[in-house]
Amino acid sequence: MRRNVTVTVLLLAVLIIRATAQEPVSDTLLLKGVEIASEKISRKELSSFPMQSLSGNQIAAVAGNSVADALRTFSGVTLRDYGGAGGLKTVMVRSLGAQHTGVFIDGAPVSDIASGQPDLGKFPLGNLEEVSLNVGGGGSEPMPARARAGASIINLRSIRPDFGKYKTRGNIGIKGGSFGLFNPFLRLDHKTGQDSWIGIDVNPLFSKGDYSYLVDNGPAGSETLKRGNGDLTSLSANLRFFARPGDSTELRVFAGFYNAERGLPGAVVFYNPHASQRLTNKDLSLGFQLMSEKKRVSLLTNAGWSYAWLRYLDPDYLGYTYSLDNRYLQQEFYLSQAGTIALGRHFSASLASDFILNTFSGSQYKTDPWRGSFLLSAILAHQTRNTGAEAGILASVIKDSGKNSSEEDLTHKVSPYFSVSVRIADVPSLRLRMMYKHSFRMPAFNELYYALVGNPRLFPESAQQLNTGILGSYAPFKGVLLRLSADAFFNRVHNKIVAIPTQNLFVWSMQNIGEVSTGGLDFQLDATAAMNRRSRISVNLAYTFQKASDISDKNSSVYGNQIPYIPYETFSAMFQFGYRAFSLDYNVLFNGYRYVSAENIPQNLLPSWWISDAGVAWNPEAGRYKYRIKAGVTNLFDKDYVVIRSFPMPGRGIVVSGAFTF
């Protein structure tokens, strides 16, 4: 650890000496680490950390209702999807477990202490103006220390209303389609003063999830069945208040509510597609955020509370003469203070401290565990027109309660990271970047305390990330812009938490026995062209190759094998064409073959799959009023495929929506 910190400090010192010798560029303005030149440059083009994002028309072109559907178009992302609207959805980034990825909405954290990552199917896309993924979680702007802790972070940014000369703005619409989908939505924002407004959005969703699928019954042949127990009834509602008490101060207060009743579609095995498990969620969150910027100092304060109640009901649980009815309650209290100060023209320093308290109770836990966390991050950043560098360190002190009062554990961790970017050409614009980060994740409460399988003596799972890449942009003709990024990455995970059988195949336990080494390549290409004032076209391509090897035991038969459910290759493409008020989009997703276990044998192989989605929209405007009518087809060619073995995904579906913005 000391060696890593020493290397970081020496590298930063060299960069500081080099940067102070450079002359400032007259046509460049630095604002919070963002370079603004004669041509608008996006933040992800300057970042020394790999960053991807969707916004505006790109989000509207996504075939799906949730954030999970948007994230699967990013390179390096593997979506775990159990099918249908009710199936749980989580993501893994560059083969790291879902627990290594943090989720933030407008700078406020969203967590699930039980499983490690919230169900991303719970977050609707309709109220978001940007969905982004940042590998490494870097950036010199003020942010909670927790955002520096994960191997990657998902940032969701809500739509902010543009009132203009009106006091009330809103959006109302409805979406419906195959498999019983019915989704009305409403967003209303009202200006309460010169510099304040209040808003509410309501998003109910109903889906039967009764799609057809093909099942192979072996020698008996194949048959087409309908998916059962895949229904979902949910309500998402948010209330927010925004005020600007001063020219450089912003206040945001928000409350969120989510209620869902869903069936959990089961695994389809020979002659038995039956499933009866039910899941009920009741979530509530309250938050406060204060941002201020004065001269050289920017401050960000976050405070919040979240409450999540979950019920899991299994009427047909084997070995029980009655229904299995488990209930869980988790709460989180957090307080965060972050600040950034500009040190001259090219340097800035950031500090952040977080206090987090998580409590949990459940019918399958022998006691009610809790976790208290204190995080402190410090960062020194440098930015000029041609170079950028960041070096930081995160100190974590975490206290866990055990199964009884005598089992309490205190964890201390120091996690360094650094990044460098250098501009090597102006036309075309080319930048080289490199990033190293050490991070860890604490065991989730299910892994520690869940009855039968939990192990309260687990160690944290640590990860090391190394990324090198090149970014380029080029405008060969007027109105045409090409952006390209290519990255090579290497990850090493120690103390990987895995479930292994103990007494027999029906009694498993969580253990720190795994070590995984991953190497891969990411490619992204974005092309936009405005052919004239009335027509436009854009293409977004993303490709990933990764080899995630199990290197836990050299004497094991699975040494060097690909770890379960990590495809060797993934590819996504988004094509959009617009003419006047009409737009046409076509999306493609490819998932390469992968294995369902560490035994890489033909019996455990899942085949690769391609799916395509298409849509057409009409977006007329009349003054302040905007209309949007869209019709789309998901899984256009009706492909049969699975993401998780024995969990078939939906075939071809039709979705029609209409919205009115005022």
Side-chain angles (χ1 to χ4, degrees), residues 163-164 166-167 190-197 242-245:
F163 288 101
Y166 305 103
K167 293 195 68 174
H190 180 71
K191 201 170 184 180
T192 57
Q194 184 66 28
D195 294 303
S196 63
W197 55 269
F242 175 88
R244 187 176 286 111

Side-chain angles (χ1 to χ4, degrees), residues 233-402:
T233 300
S234 69
L235 174 64
S236 174
N238 296 280
L239 179 68
R240 56 200 168 272
F241 172 75
F242 175 88
R244 187 176 286 111
D247 292 339
S248 58
T249 304
E250 292 184 356
L251 169 68
R252 193 173 74 91
V253 181
F254 57 90
F257 173 76
Y258 178 79
N259 184 34
E261 167 71 30
R262 76 183 79 188
L264 295 178
V268 176
V269 295
F270 289 142
Y271 310 108
N272 183 24
H274 175 73
S276 57
Q277 295 86 359
R278 308 294 298 178
L279 194 68
T280 304
N281 297 88
K282 293 181 181 178
D283 300 349
L284 179 64
S285 61
L286 301 173
F288 164 89
Q289 190 176 79
L290 181 66
M291 295 174 284
S292 64
E293 184 174 354
K294 295 183 179 179
K295 294 183 179 179
R296 299 182 304 159
V297 179
S298 300
L299 298 174
L300 173 65
T301 303
N302 276 291
W305 166 75
S306 63
Y307 169 102
W309 181 87
L310 181 147
R311 180 189 185 191
Y312 172 76
L313 179 65
D314 187 352
D316 303 319
Y317 188 73
L318 295 177
Y320 275 53
T321 57
Y322 51 88
S323 298
L324 180 66
D325 190 352
N326 294 340
R327 306 185 185 206
Y328 307 93
L329 172 63
Q330 58 177 302
Q331 298 186 72
E332 178 175 291
F333 306 85
Y334 66 89
L335 178 64
S336 172
Q337 180 63 58
T340 298
I341 181 171
L343 305 174
R345 189 168 182 180
H346 299 297
F347 292 92
S348 63
S350 300
L351 287 172
S353 62
D354 291 8
F355 174 74
I356 309 160
L357 176 64
N358 297 101
T359 65
F360 194 90
S361 62
S363 56
Q364 289 295 305
Y365 285 45
K366 294 182 179 180
T367 187
D368 295 340
W370 58 267
R371 174 176 293 166
S373 307
F374 177 74
L375 309 178
L376 178 65
S377 69
I379 299 158
L380 183 62
H382 153 263
Q383 183 77 57
T384 68
R385 183 175 182 272
N386 294 322
T387 61
E390 230 181 87
I393 195 167
L394 174 72
S396 306
V397 180
I398 302 171
K399 187 177 182 64
D400 268 4
S401 69

Side-chain angles (χ1 to χ4, degrees), residues 177-242:
S178 301
F179 321 128
L181 176 65
F182 178 67
N183 177 207
F185 51 89
L186 169 68
R187 179 186 177 98
L188 193 63
D189 299 298
H190 180 71
K191 201 170 184 180
T192 57
Q194 184 66 28
D195 294 303
S196 63
W197 55 269
I198 189 170
I200 185 173
D201 63 75
V202 181
N203 195 311
L205 188 147
F206 310 91
S207 176
K208 293 181 180 179
D210 55 348
Y211 53 88
S212 298
Y213 65 95
L214 186 69
V215 60
D216 183 2
N217 289 318
S222 300
E223 61 178 326
T224 300
L225 300 176
K226 280 210 167 186
R227 198 71 162 119
N229 203 46
D231 61 293
L232 171 65
T233 300
S234 69
L235 174 64
S236 174
N238 296 280
L239 179 68
R240 56 200 168 272
F241 172 75
F242 175 88

Side-chain angles (χ1 to χ4, degrees), residues 28-55:
T28 302
L29 172 66
L30 286 174
L31 177 62
K32 289 188 177 180
V34 178
E35 180 184 86
I36 303 172
S38 57
E39 177 186 299
K40 185 177 179 180
I41 301 176
S42 66
R43 182 186 170 196
K44 61 184 178 182
E45 286 184 84
L46 292 173
S47 175
S48 51
F49 295 83
M51 182 183 296
Q52 302 172 71
S53 64
L54 295 177
S55 59

Side-chain angles (χ1 to χ4, degrees), residues 319-581:
Y320 275 53
T321 57
Y322 51 88
S323 298
L324 180 66
D325 190 352
N326 294 340
R327 306 185 185 206
Y328 307 93
L329 172 63
Q330 58 177 302
Q331 298 186 72
E332 178 175 291
F333 306 85
Y334 66 89
L335 178 64
S336 172
Q337 180 63 58
T340 298
I341 181 171
L343 305 174
R345 189 168 182 180
H346 299 297
F347 292 92
S348 63
S350 300
L351 287 172
S353 62
D354 291 8
F355 174 74
I356 309 160
L357 176 64
N358 297 101
T359 65
F360 194 90
S361 62
S363 56
Q364 289 295 305
Y365 285 45
K366 294 182 179 180
T367 187
D368 295 340
W370 58 267
R371 174 176 293 166
S373 307
F374 177 74
L375 309 178
L376 178 65
S377 69
I379 299 158
L380 183 62
H382 153 263
Q383 183 77 57
T384 68
R385 183 175 182 272
N386 294 322
T387 61
E390 230 181 87
I393 195 167
L394 174 72
S396 306
V397 180
I398 302 171
K399 187 177 182 64
D400 268 4
S401 69
K403 289 189 176 181
N404 55 61
S405 58
S406 64
E407 294 180 348
E408 293 186 347
D409 190 24
L410 191 64
T411 301
H412 304 81
K413 289 285 184 179
V414 176
S415 305
Y417 75 86
F418 68 85
S419 66
V420 181
S421 66
V422 179
R423 185 171 183 167
I424 58 174
D426 289 334
V427 180
S429 175
L430 291 176
R431 287 178 179 270
L432 297 177
R433 65 183 176 192
M434 182 181 72
M435 178 271 291
Y436 167 82
K437 183 171 185 176
H438 181 278
S439 62
F440 73 97
R441 66 102 170 170
M442 292 294 292
F445 277 7
N446 283 350
E447 296 166 331
L448 288 169
Y449 307 117
Y450 194 81
L452 298 181
V453 302
N455 178 5
R457 294 176 177 83
L458 289 175
F459 296 106
E461 183 178 297
S462 63
Q464 293 177 296
Q465 299 168 272
L466 178 65
N467 186 94
T468 59
I470 185 169
L471 302 90
S473 62
Y474 182 54
F477 311 105
K478 183 178 180 181
V480 176
L481 180 61
L482 305 176
R483 293 189 173 104
L484 172 70
S485 68
D487 290 275
F489 61 88
F490 175 79
N491 300 335
R492 178 68 67 91
V493 178
H494 301 274
N495 285 329
K496 187 169 181 63
I497 300 171
V498 296
I500 62 170
T502 54
Q503 302 173 17
N504 54 58
L505 291 177
F506 297 96
V507 180
W508 293 59
S509 177
M510 308 304 297
Q511 301 288 337
N512 289 109
I513 65 167
E515 188 168 353
V516 175
S517 176
T518 302
L521 299 170
D522 271 351
F523 296 97
Q524 298 169 52
L525 174 64
D526 300 334
T528 57
M531 292 173 283
N532 51 54
R533 293 184 178 181
R534 298 178 178 179
S535 58
R536 61 200 179 280
I537 188 171
S538 68
V539 179
N540 306 96
L541 307 177
Y543 171 82
T544 299
F545 171 84
Q546 56 186 332
K547 179 71 171 71
S549 304
D550 183 346
I551 56 172
S552 304
D553 182 3
K554 288 186 178 180
N555 298 317
S556 170
S557 62
V558 300
Y559 182 82
N561 285 0
Q562 187 85 343
I563 64 175
Y565 287 108
I566 299 298
Y568 285 94
E569 295 178 287
T570 58
F571 172 77
S572 69
M574 299 180 67
F575 303 92
Q576 292 180 283
F577 173 76
Y579 178 74
R580 293 189 173 181

